[in-house]
Amino acid sequence: MHTPSSLNSQTLLFSLVLLFFLEGAGCSQAGLRRGEQDRETTIPGGPIDTIPDDTAKPLAALEFLNEHYGADSQQVMDIYLPAGRSKEITRIMVFIHGGGWMGADKSDYTGNINDMKNKDARYAYVNLNYRLVKDGKNQFPAAEEDIKAALEHVWALTDSFHISPLTGVIGVSAGAHLTALEAFKHNTKGYIRSVVCISGVYDMKRFHDEGSAGVAPLAVLVLGGTPEGKPE
């Protein structure tokens, strides 16, 4: 299984184009800090409930680093809100890292987001961590549940953030698998409008049965059993 550790800026920008200018760019053949940024100040973990409601003047950029969406230490996200944002124009761009469901971190994409943030009021960025499989813990569907909970958390804050809930998701490798699950299985609100999945797994049974050496044991570790025994 090829697991890219990060994306270069060109790939990300190409993905942005796909997300918001092609309808339903998809994962399958079927389709589809807190800081006032006047001077690049970051205060990790600031309370979201103190966001100003005054929108008579253009809103300043804000960042929320390691914002919790659950009780586990891995259930955190970074949220980047652009200056000049509004519910009418600003959509959400979500990044889900890869790492074979057992490694890597949202920091893989921090540099890319830092290159792009605040350059366009149309995009708010969300960079997610999720529970990783380790020592027999956090096997599926833990990561799948985390992505769902993280996006529900962000969507519940869109009014206070003054952004639209319309969302595009980019996932790489294991992150592409999680992106596909969220988009095609859990998108009941219809907020996810486009997805980009890169080097992902979309058929766990085939992944287990036909993958290269080491893939079948990995699948068993991640699933907590064989695909036949864990069909969900």
Side-chain angles (χ1 to χ4, degrees):
M1 177 180 179
H2 177 57
T3 307
S5 60
S6 63
L7 293 172
N8 60 37
S9 296
Q10 275 191 325
T11 301
L12 284 171
L13 290 172
F14 177 69
S15 297
L16 292 176
V17 172
L18 287 176
L19 280 166
F20 288 100
F21 293 96
L22 292 179
E23 183 65 26
C27 296
S28 75
Q29 294 178 351
L32 256 188
R33 141 173 61 110
R34 168 157 155 234
E36 291 284 348
Q37 291 300 309
D38 295 331
R39 296 196 306 164
E40 282 295 316
T41 303
T42 300
I43 307 174
I48 281 180
D49 57 1
T50 59
I51 296 174
D53 291 326
D54 178 15
T55 58
K57 61 181 181 180
L59 293 168
L62 289 173
E63 296 183 5
F64 302 90
L65 298 185
N66 293 314
E67 167 71 16
H68 276 268
Y69 63 87
D72 192 278
S73 62
Q74 296 181 86
Q75 293 173 313
V76 293
M77 67 177 80
D78 299 336
I79 303 170
Y80 305 81
L81 304 177
R85 64 190 176 277
S86 73
K87 287 186 67 66
E88 290 72 31
I89 68 167
T90 307
R91 299 184 179 187
I92 303 167
M93 180 76 62
V94 178
F95 294 85
I96 305 178
H97 71 82
W101 306 277
M102 300 178 70
D105 183 83
K106 59 183 170 63
S107 61
D108 286 350
Y109 305 127
T110 301
N112 301 109
I113 293 173
N114 284 341
D115 287 341
M116 297 185 294
K117 67 184 182 182
N118 301 324
K119 292 184 178 180
D120 193 328
R122 293 178 296 172
Y123 304 110
Y125 299 105
V126 176
N127 194 11
L128 299 180
N129 272 354
Y130 49 89
R131 287 173 292 172
L132 300 173
V133 177
K134 184 178 181 180
D135 299 329
K137 299 179 180 178
N138 301 329
Q139 293 168 321
F140 259 80
E144 177 184 349
E145 293 170 347
D146 283 358
I147 302 306
K148 183 176 185 295
L151 290 180
E152 292 286 351
H153 182 79
V154 172
W155 291 331
L157 293 168
T158 55
D159 284 342
S160 61
F161 282 167
H162 305 287
I163 60 176
S164 168
L166 299 183
T167 301
V169 188
I170 297 175
V172 175
S173 191
H177 171 241
L178 295 170
T179 295
L181 285 171
E182 181 64 25
F184 293 103
K185 183 177 178 181
H186 300 300
N187 189 25
T188 56
K189 293 183 171 69
Y191 291 155
I192 299 176
R193 295 301 181 90
S194 294
V195 292
V196 173
C197 301
I198 302 171
S199 301
V201 174
Y202 315 113
D203 185 333
M204 291 300 289
K205 185 178 187 306
R206 184 177 179 187
F207 178 64
H208 174 273
D209 295 347
E210 302 178 19
S212 57
V215 165
L218 170 63
V220 170
L221 284 173
V222 170
L223 295 174
T226 65
E228 290 87 349
K230 308 281 270 188
E232 68 278 8

